[in-house]
Amino acid sequence: DKISTTIMWQTQDIEPTVVEYGERKESLKNITQEEATIHEVKITGLKPDTLYFYRTGDGENMSEFFTFRTNPSNNRPFRFVAYGDSQNHPEIHSKLIPMIAEISPAFVLHAGDAVEKGKEEERWQTEIFDVIRPLSFHIPYYIAMGNHEENSEYYYKYLSYPYPEGDEQHESYYWFRYGAVFVIVIDSQKYIFGTEDPQHKWVVKTLERPEAVWAGFRIALFHQSAYTEGWGHCDYDGNLQIRSSLIPALEKGGVNLILNGHTHGYERGLLNGVYHMIIGGGGGGLDMHCNDFPFIEKTNYVHHFIYGDVLCDRLKITAIDIDGNIFDTFEIQFTYPQPAK
C-alpha cells in the first residue's frame, strides 16, 4: 500500500519550504521545495501504523516537533470523530475541541459549513484553523464542502485532499481508505440531479473500486441531507436531488453510513439498510423539530459531536453533547461481499 501524508502551513512572507521527518528525532529525512507563502509538502513511502515526528520551517528557523501516525492495517481498531456546521461560533466550537482531543481520534470528518462566509479569507483563520489547532498538528481533518464555504478559492487553497488527475475542483469530492473503513466525500453543492452528472458517475465508479468493495465498512460524507426532521423555519425537509438520485446510488454501492450536516442538530435513522445521520452540532445556531419521517428514530437539537470506534467486525457510534453527556449509542455490523454461489 502506498501511504503518504500532506503537511501544510502558511508564512507571512515568501520563504523556503522545508520539512524534516522521521521515526526518531535523531535521524530525520529532509524535503525541500520552492519558496512560497502557502507551503504544501506530500511525504510518500511511509510505513503503515507508524508514529512519525516532523517539523517545518525555512531550514534555519524550524517549528517545534509534532507527530502523526500512519494508517493501520485492516484489522487494527481505531477511533474517528465526526461533526459539522461549526460556522461563525468559534466560542462554541472551541469547547468541543478539547473534548475531541481527549478521546484521541485517528482522524476527524467535518460535514461542512466550517466557516460562515467562505469568500472572506480571515474567517478561515478565526473560525476554523485557530480553533482546531490542537488537533490539526497531529491528525487529518477532512472537510466536506458546505453551502457556507461558497465554493471559495480558499477551500482549495488551504485544504489538500486526494483529487485525481490534477483536477483541483475534484478536491471537494474524493475518497480515502483508513484501516477497514472506506470514506467517500461528496460535494452536495455541485451535485446535479440525474445519472449524467459527472460527480454522480464518479460516485458510482468509486464505490466499485476494490478499496471500497473489500472494506468492512463504507461511509459517505456530504453536507446536505436527503431527509431532515429539523429546520429553523420549518419550510424544508431535505434535498430532493440528493434523495431521488444520489441516495439510490449510495445504497446500491454498499454504503453503510451517511453523515450529513446542514441541519443544526442530531438525527439518526435506518432506511433501506443504510444509516442516515445528521451531525450538524458543531456551533451554528440550533434548529428545531419540524417534520416527521418514520425511519428517523432519534433527534436531539444540541451542540455535539460523534465518535466511531472501529472494532474487528463492527462500528460502535457514540454521540456526546457539549456538556459531556452521552445521549445516543448504537452499533453497525461490518458487511463484506457475499461469495459467488
Side-chain angles (χ1 to χ4, degrees), residues 34 54 86 90 95 124 135 183 204 215 242 246 254 272 280 324 337:
E34 292 181 6
Y54 77 96
S86 46
K95 290 180 181 177
W124 290 88
L135 290 170
V183 179
V204 171
I242 299 292
L246 178 59
N272 297 333

Side-chain angles (χ1 to χ4, degrees), residues 262-274:
H262 205 45
T263 297
H264 296 175
Y266 176 89
E267 301 184 13
R268 167 176 66 82
L270 178 63
L271 182 65
N272 297 333
V274 181

Side-chain angles (χ1 to χ4, degrees), residues 17-305:
T17 300
V18 179
V19 171
E20 296 177 344
Y21 72 99
E23 294 175 58
R24 295 184 297 121
K25 294 179 183 178
E26 298 75 30
S27 64
L28 298 171
K29 295 180 180 178
N30 185 294
I31 298 177
T32 60
Q33 291 183 178
E34 292 181 6
E35 296 184 351
T37 55
I38 294 180
H39 308 264
E40 181 174 343
V41 177
K42 186 174 183 178
I43 305 173
T44 59
L46 300 172
K47 296 178 184 177
D49 202 11
T50 300
L51 185 71
Y52 285 90
F53 295 91
Y54 77 96
R55 62 182 180 181
T56 67
D58 61 10
E60 294 182 7
N61 303 297
M62 301 296 288
S63 71
E64 62 182 283
F65 276 105
F66 304 107
T67 59
F68 64 85
R69 181 173 287 279
T70 50
N71 295 16
S73 62
N74 278 2
N75 55 7
R76 181 177 168 273
F78 66 89
R79 173 177 287 171
F80 68 88
V81 159
Y83 67 96
D85 298 81
S86 46
Q87 292 174 283
N88 59 338
H89 288 285
E91 75 284 358
I92 299 172
H93 188 192
S94 61
K95 290 180 181 177
L96 297 176
I97 296 302
M99 297 167 65
I100 292 170
E102 194 174 330
I103 62 173
S104 301
F107 59 82
V108 173
L109 302 176
H110 192 299
D113 285 1
V115 296
E116 180 72 10
K117 294 182 179 179
K119 292 183 178 175
E120 297 180 9
E121 185 174 16
E122 67 278 1
R123 289 179 180 267
W124 290 88
Q125 188 70 47
T126 59
E127 294 179 359
I128 187 70
F129 294 127
D130 282 350
V131 181
I132 69 171
R133 191 181 301 275
L135 290 170
S136 60
F137 283 132
H138 304 286
I139 63 172
Y141 233 86
Y142 298 98
I143 301 175
M145 179 74 78
N147 52 298
H148 281 273
E149 272 74 46
E150 301 175 313
N151 200 35
S152 154
E153 63 178 296
Y154 302 116
Y155 179 96
Y156 303 98
K157 189 175 171 182
Y158 289 138
L159 302 174
S160 178
Y161 296 136
Y163 60 89
E165 301 168 8
D167 172 12
E168 193 179 70
Q169 285 296 304
H170 232 321
E171 218 165 358
S172 69
Y173 54 102
Y174 54 92
W175 66 268
F176 68 92
R177 174 82 177 260
Y178 193 98
V181 173
F182 183 90
V183 179
I184 182 169
V185 182
I186 299 165
D187 185 347
S188 59
Q189 301 309 116
K190 288 199 188 83
Y191 187 82
I192 302 167
F193 175 80
T195 57
E196 294 306 305
D197 172 40
Q199 189 181 188
H200 182 94
K201 290 181 175 179
W202 173 86
V203 167
V204 171
K205 191 175 178 182
T206 298
L207 290 173
E208 292 171 349
R209 297 181 66 98
E211 296 94 338
V213 172
W214 294 102
F217 200 83
R218 286 156 293 280
I219 297 173
L221 174 74
F222 52 95
H223 184 60
Q224 293 200 35
S225 65
Y227 305 88
T228 180
E229 291 194 345
W231 198 243
H233 310 291
C234 292
D235 56 356
Y236 174 79
D237 65 3
N239 184 309
L240 297 182
Q241 292 191 114
I242 299 292
R243 190 184 302 179
S244 62
S245 188
L246 178 59
I247 297 302
L250 298 180
E251 291 174 354
K252 187 176 179 182
V255 166
N256 306 95
L257 172 64
I258 296 171
L259 296 175
N260 304 123
H262 205 45
T263 297
H264 296 175
Y266 176 89
E267 301 184 13
R268 167 176 66 82
L270 178 63
L271 182 65
N272 297 333
V274 181
Y275 281 89
H276 290 243
M277 294 185 72
I278 293 175
I279 50 169
L286 295 169
D287 287 330
M288 57 187 176
H289 193 269
C290 296
N291 311 302
D292 182 44
F293 289 104
F295 79 92
I296 295 178
E297 300 166 11
K298 177 82 175 181
T299 61
N300 195 9
Y301 300 97
V302 294
H303 292 114
H304 71 279
F305 66 91

